């Protein structure tokens, strides 16, 4: 199942590598789709806060209600990959 999208909406989608047929899908279904604000540089405030980032990256991201930039998200993901 996927999250509905609207024209003009900014979304960061984490995709699996393409299959041998060239097809792919979001990692974790709707959890692999992150809504961004209108600037496309920050994670939208209305995103669910109940899903904890992988590994110890939780402490590197602002607490619930804080703003997370795409750059901060990228750093947390890269750091989690190295753990």
């Amino acid at each position: 199942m996927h999250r509905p999208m609207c024209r003009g909406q900014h979304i960061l989608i984490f995709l699996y590598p393409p299959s041998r047929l060239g097809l792919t899908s979001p990692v974790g279904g709707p959890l692999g789709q992150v809504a961004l604000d209108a600037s496309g540089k920050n994670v939208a405030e209305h995103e669910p806060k109940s899903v904890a980032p992988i590994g110890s990256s939780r402490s590197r991201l602002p607490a619930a209600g804080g703003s997370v930039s795409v750059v901060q998200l990228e750093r947390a993901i890269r750091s989690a990959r190295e753990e």
Side-chain angles (χ1 to χ4, degrees):
M1 172 149 252
H2 70 284
R3 185 178 293 176
M5 296 179 232
C6 303
R7 180 181 289 196
Q9 185 178 15
H10 293 84
I11 297 180
L12 176 64
I13 302 177
F14 296 92
L15 299 171
Y16 286 110
S19 69
R20 59 187 172 94
L21 297 175
L23 304 174
T24 188
S25 62
V27 174
L31 295 177
Q33 302 174 34
V34 180
L36 303 176
D37 66 4
S39 72
K41 296 182 180 179
N42 297 298
V43 174
E45 288 293 323
H46 64 277
E47 281 297 295
K49 307 289 185 198
S50 61
V51 178
I54 297 171
S56 61
S57 300
R58 179 184 211 51
S59 62
R60 295 186 196 109
L61 294 174
S67 179
V68 177
S69 72
V70 172
V71 172
Q72 289 173 310
L73 181 60
E74 177 186 5
R75 287 181 186 148
I77 292 168
R78 288 182 188 277
S79 177
R81 287 183 68 192
E82 294 171 0
E83 292 179 357

